[in-house]
Amino acid sequence: MTAPDNSTSTPNPQRRSLLAAAAALPFATGLSGLAGGAWAQGSDKPEKEEVRIGFIPLTDCASVVMAAVLGFDKKYGVKIIPTKEASWAGVRDKLVNGELDMAHVLYGLVYGVHLGTSGPKKDMAVLMNLNNNGQAITLSKALADKGAVDGPSLAKVMAANPREYTFAGTFPTGTHAMWMHYWLAAAGINPMSGAKLITVPPPQMVANMRVGNMDGFCVGEPWNHRAIMDGIGITANTTQDLWKDHPEKVLGTTAEFTQKYPNTTRAVMMAVLEASRWIDASLSNKLKMAETVAQKAYINTGVDAINQRILGRYQNGLGKTWDDPNHMKFFNDGAVNYPYLSDGMWFLTQHKRWGLLKAHPDYLAVAKQVNQTALYKQVAGAMGISVPKSDFRTSKLMDGVVWDGKDPAKYADGFKIKA
């Protein structure tokens, strides 16, 4: 890899041509502050050169971290400062009050803040997806020893041994809480009345299971594999079993930041996209990434807890091993990163299903406010990254129900198990 250009005052030729290409594209984003077609003061120079991006210690923070470590940020005239955070609630609060400029953040958390369903209400923006797949549902070894190794067998064990069963997600409106709710319901377990759901920050999941605080959890890697390595948990399902190529973390910020710093926003998106492409480009890049993010400053775990599943090499903790082609992906020829409107709408349908929203929102209008599809197309176009023809995609989830975004209210109301 050629050494990145470290100057910020004079953009290198590649950056100049990329930004010139971007400037030539039609500009129509959902953010009124960006309307008009011109770069700020006719210049491509980022308005804010240091950008604080919060992250939680999870494998899927990798593209943000590697953008800074490999100097892709400098190439586009910004300095990314990755900021390690303790919890998703902390990320939310710091995004809302401006201590963080952007974050590696749960898709559903951004929507929760935008609608005020998970604390303070503020207009938010999803700039791009950071990854697809790569989370899992872990059950305690104690439950597995009783025969609970997947959803249906868990339902049988719970029916035969009545007590309060506790499961953890990482944030009330976030992805992991929604995967856990969906997975339990698909097995016939009502997560509202038949189980207790709690919130635990990702790095604390394994320690909490070790002392018996929960029977199962849904979290990102490396904490599911860590539970297997430590002999306290088993993988019941991966989240790609639940929904192949599902949206997961996003690069999120406030609508205000994107309006105020349009050039900075584009520059950061370009740097993170380039890092995403770099990670997925080769086996050696993935392994270098795993070695980097395992360090104390980032995830603070052994590299062996990260590098197997990042390559799709899975074990369930009960002797089964498999190669999963649908492991965590950061770029996948650009297929990962597009912020589909239908993806954002899906989280809203689940928020409604589980009573986080009391009434049906205008699903499409909210998704258009939050997901910056026009901005993403502009950046991707400048970088030669393909974008899909439609803002909607069709997926069949593990219970056989198809989601296509066409009638979200009917979809949300159509589940047998709901709040």
Side-chain angles (χ1 to χ4, degrees):
M1 192 186 82
T2 55
D5 179 87
N6 291 329
S7 67
T8 52
S9 56
T10 310
N12 66 18
Q14 185 181 357
R15 175 175 171 249
R16 234 184 349 249
S17 63
L18 280 172
L19 292 170
L25 288 166
F27 200 144
T29 95
L31 293 169
S32 56
L34 292 180
W39 297 83
Q41 291 83 48
S43 161
D44 65 22
K45 184 174 167 57
E47 308 85 355
K48 183 179 170 77
E49 291 183 2
E50 284 199 353
V51 184
R52 293 175 64 82
I53 306 185
F55 72 92
I56 291 284
L58 290 160
T59 305
D60 50 31
C61 74
S63 54
V64 168
V65 169
M66 298 312 290
V69 169
L70 296 172
F72 293 135
D73 53 350
K74 295 186 185 73
K75 177 173 166 180
Y76 297 106
V78 289
K79 182 182 181 185
I80 290 173
I81 302 169
T83 307
K84 187 173 179 175
E85 302 298 331
S87 71
W88 290 121
V91 170
R92 172 201 62 197
D93 294 345
K94 289 181 180 182
L95 272 176
V96 167
N97 70 23
E99 283 180 69
L100 291 173
D101 298 312
M102 297 182 181
H104 147 260
V105 66
L106 298 161
Y107 211 129
L109 183 151
V110 176
Y111 273 76
V113 173
H114 190 81
L115 292 178
T117 47
S118 59
K121 184 176 189 296
K122 193 173 179 83
D123 288 350
M124 298 297 287
V126 165
L127 302 176
M128 57 183 271
N129 282 7
L130 294 177
N131 66 297
N132 288 166
N133 308 325
Q135 324 296 293
I137 289 162
T138 292
L139 294 177
S140 72
K141 193 74 168 55
L143 267 185
D145 290 343
K146 289 180 179 157
V149 297
D150 57 16
S153 57
L154 172 66
K156 284 181 189 163
V157 168
M158 287 173 69
N161 306 276
R163 63 171 173 83
E164 184 176 71
Y165 287 82
T166 302
F167 301 93
T170 62
F171 189 80
T173 62
T175 49
H176 305 115
M178 295 306 105
W179 308 142
M180 181 57 89
H181 278 69
Y182 202 102
W183 181 80
L184 287 168
I189 302 162
N190 189 323
M192 309 300 287
S193 59
K196 180 183 176 188
L197 278 104
I198 61 171
T199 297
V200 175
Q204 295 173 30
M205 286 291 189
V206 175
N208 272 276
M209 183 170 273
R210 185 179 286 111
V211 297
N213 285 349
M214 83 265 280
D215 297 289
F217 59 72
C218 182
V219 74
E221 297 301 342
W223 305 116
N224 302 286
H225 189 63
R226 183 84 249 172
I228 291 172
M229 290 172 69
D230 293 359
I232 61 158
I234 63 114
T235 293
N237 277 111
T238 66
T239 49
Q240 53 266 30
D241 292 337
L242 200 143
W243 177 357
K244 182 189 163 196
D245 294 336
H246 67 79
E248 188 42 54
K249 305 304 185 301
V250 295
L251 185 62
T253 185
T254 60
E256 182 185 15
F257 185 91
T258 310
Q259 290 165 1
K260 198 171 172 184
Y261 306 110
N263 295 346
T264 305
T265 302
R266 280 185 285 259
V268 172
M269 289 171 72
M270 286 179 171
V272 174
L273 271 169
E274 190 151 345
S276 305
R277 180 158 56 188
W278 179 89
I279 292 166
D280 277 8
S282 72
L283 186 67
S284 61
N285 287 5
K286 285 189 179 75
L287 293 172
K288 179 172 179 181
M289 174 273 279
E291 286 169 14
T292 303
V293 300
Q295 292 168 19
K296 192 173 181 183
Y298 306 115
I299 300 176
N300 190 24
T301 191
V303 70
D304 51 345
I306 298 173
N307 61 14
Q308 293 305 296
R309 289 191 171 187
I310 207 69
L311 303 174
R313 294 174 191 154
Y314 277 78
Q315 54 170 294
N316 70 348
L318 295 164
K320 181 188 170 192
T321 60
W322 71 98
D323 286 325
D324 190 338
N326 305 311
H327 56 82
M328 188 184 291
K329 301 206 170 82
F330 293 87
F331 185 67
N332 195 19
D333 296 326
V336 168
N337 310 103
Y338 190 76
Y340 288 95
L341 297 180
S342 58
D343 286 0
M345 290 162 68
W346 184 86
F347 287 103
L348 292 177
T349 68
Q350 299 308 297
H351 295 169
K352 175 63 177 71
R353 178 184 179 183
W354 302 118
L356 292 158
L357 289 168
K358 301 305 172 209
H360 289 291
D362 185 334
Y363 292 93
L364 183 56
V366 174
K368 282 181 171 175
Q369 287 163 10
V370 177
N371 288 24
Q372 301 303 305
T373 54
L375 186 59
Y376 180 85
K377 283 173 186 168
Q378 188 186 55
V379 167
M383 297 181 74
I385 295 167
S386 61
V387 295
K389 290 184 172 67
S390 172
D391 286 335
F392 295 80
R393 58 176 179 151
T394 301
S395 307
K396 185 191 275 191
L397 276 67
M398 78 181 303
D399 55 1
V401 180
V402 172
W403 165 245
D404 59 15
K406 285 180 183 150
D407 193 342
K410 183 181 174 187
Y411 176 85
D413 289 341
F415 291 97
K416 193 168 77 174
I417 298 178
K418 55 182 186 270

